[in-house]
Amino acid sequence: MAPSRPRFPLPLDAVRSGDRGPGARRPAAAPEPPMLRPQAPLDAAARDRARQTVPAGLGLDSEQVRERLIRRLEAQGLRDPRVAAALRAVPRHLFVDSALAQQAYEDTSLPIGWGQTISKPSVVARMLELLIAPQPAGRPLRLLEIGSGCGYQAAVMLQLGVSRLVSIERLRPLHELAQARLAPHRGDRLRLVHGDGRLGHAPMAPYDGIIAAAGGEALPEAWLAQLAPGGRLVAPLARSPGGPQCLAVVDRMADGRLVEQRHEAVLFVPLESGVA
Ligand code: SAH
């Protein structure tokens, strides 16, 4: 029997597992994990700036410097070798201002201008691990990112065996920054869009994975509509404007049903409307 089509927009409660019918389940109660703070306050980033973390004699281009970060992330729980390899492949220092490059391999967020920050590597790792967990290794992925920022996470996603990546940014200067940083990757697989990511990008839908680097109070209708069967959405979500956020994961099952889980508390910049 075909399930009834969900009506949009879906408030968080409507995609709770309890409403999803047979087979849906709530995640088992687990101890509260620590809050992930991908966009730490800028003053903290400025404070961090004083610290020199690259051992004397090692340049930022050194694979050893990047490898140290990957090993730290693995010690913190990173398990998926596809995500570890993707993070290993991308020189993060090339995506931040040269004055901040010395901190690029610390697990910290850094300012990228216009009040925005590049997410912490551990948060990028966690979200990408969740994003591709349902996908078998080796299958080309069609991915959508909301919030290109400086383009770092998009560069990591391009290493995940994508057949197509669309990344949307609402702030034109950051869209242009991502274009510049990702210039070596321009081509058929990558499309950078200046626009309101809440609308997704219908011309290239559907997507096997949709990831948002900014959080709103509801999951936009377009994201759920553009999620392929077997696909997964990972996004920060708040219950009320400015309220606490958690990581929401929504799977579109093969029969079209949506199943939602909620994970740890996070703190992302707000998902804004319109473009600037
Ligand atoms: N993935 C980025 C992190 C960017 S921070 C990186 O690796 O650098 C979040 C970004 O989301 C900001 O650049 C912000 O401008 C953008 N953003 C917020 N609301 C948006 C929306 N509705 N559409 C597109 N981008 C949005």
Side-chain angles (χ1 to χ4, degrees):
M1 188 176 64
S4 60
R5 265 181 71 76
R7 292 209 337 268
F8 296 114
L10 287 182
L12 180 58
D13 288 342
V15 291
R16 292 292 295 162
S17 51
D19 299 337
R20 297 290 112 211
R25 60 189 165 80
R26 280 173 192 277
E32 201 68 35
M35 178 182 281
L36 298 179
R37 300 190 48 157
Q39 280 102 12
L42 301 189
D43 58 339
R47 224 180 304 125
D48 288 343
R49 187 171 172 163
R51 278 188 282 145
Q52 301 284 309
T53 55
V54 179
L58 285 185
L60 286 169
D61 282 318
S62 160
E63 282 177 19
Q64 280 167 272
V65 174
R66 232 174 298 163
E67 191 55 37
R68 276 194 329 156
L69 172 63
I70 306 306
R71 280 203 296 269
R72 281 219 310 271
L73 298 178
E74 286 173 339
Q76 286 170 32
L78 172 61
R79 289 285 170 271
D80 193 320
R82 297 173 290 179
V83 175
L87 287 163
R88 197 174 274 125
V90 178
R92 191 170 183 253
H93 68 281
L94 298 182
F95 288 82
V96 299
D97 191 274
S98 56
L100 298 171
Q102 293 288 331
Q103 296 161 57
Y105 298 101
E106 289 186 36
D107 187 22
T108 181
S109 58
L110 295 168
I112 54 174
W114 293 275
Q116 308 299 321
T117 57
I118 180 174
S119 300
K120 284 169 75 156
S122 57
V123 175
V124 172
R126 168 75 171 140
M127 291 181 76
L128 292 181
E129 205 167 30
L130 284 169
L131 187 73
I132 66 167
Q135 307 299 341
R139 178 171 157 211
L141 300 175
R142 303 161 295 182
L143 302 179
L144 172 67
E145 177 188 47
I146 316 301
S148 316
C150 68
Y152 170 70
Q153 183 171 273
V156 177
M157 290 166 80
L158 283 170
Q159 302 292 326
L160 292 172
V162 299
S163 57
R164 156 199 321 164
L165 169 61
V166 179
S167 179
I168 310 175
E169 172 56 55
R170 65 178 288 275
L171 297 178
R172 183 171 284 284
L174 286 177
H175 165 68
E176 287 170 357
L177 179 69
Q179 276 184 322
R181 298 277 201 259
L182 294 168
H185 300 284
R186 291 299 284 286
D188 293 344
R189 291 196 313 148
L190 173 64
R191 173 153 317 173
L192 296 172
V193 177
H194 176 230
D196 184 347
R198 295 176 316 150
L199 305 174
H201 190 70
M204 300 186 87
Y207 302 98
D208 305 304
I210 300 179
I211 188 166
E217 292 95 53
L219 299 173
E221 166 190 338
W223 297 356
L224 299 167
Q226 292 172 20
L227 197 56
R232 173 171 276 197
L233 162 71
V234 180
L237 187 62
R239 275 196 167 282
S240 55
Q245 298 171 332
C246 69
L247 266 189
V249 172
V250 182
D251 287 309
R252 184 174 290 286
M253 314 310 280
D255 64 5
R257 284 182 307 128
L258 294 169
V259 177
E260 195 244 355
Q261 309 164 41
R262 284 189 292 156
H263 292 267
E264 61 268 41
V266 287
L267 187 59
F268 277 78
V269 294
L271 183 69
E272 308 276 5
S273 54
V275 295

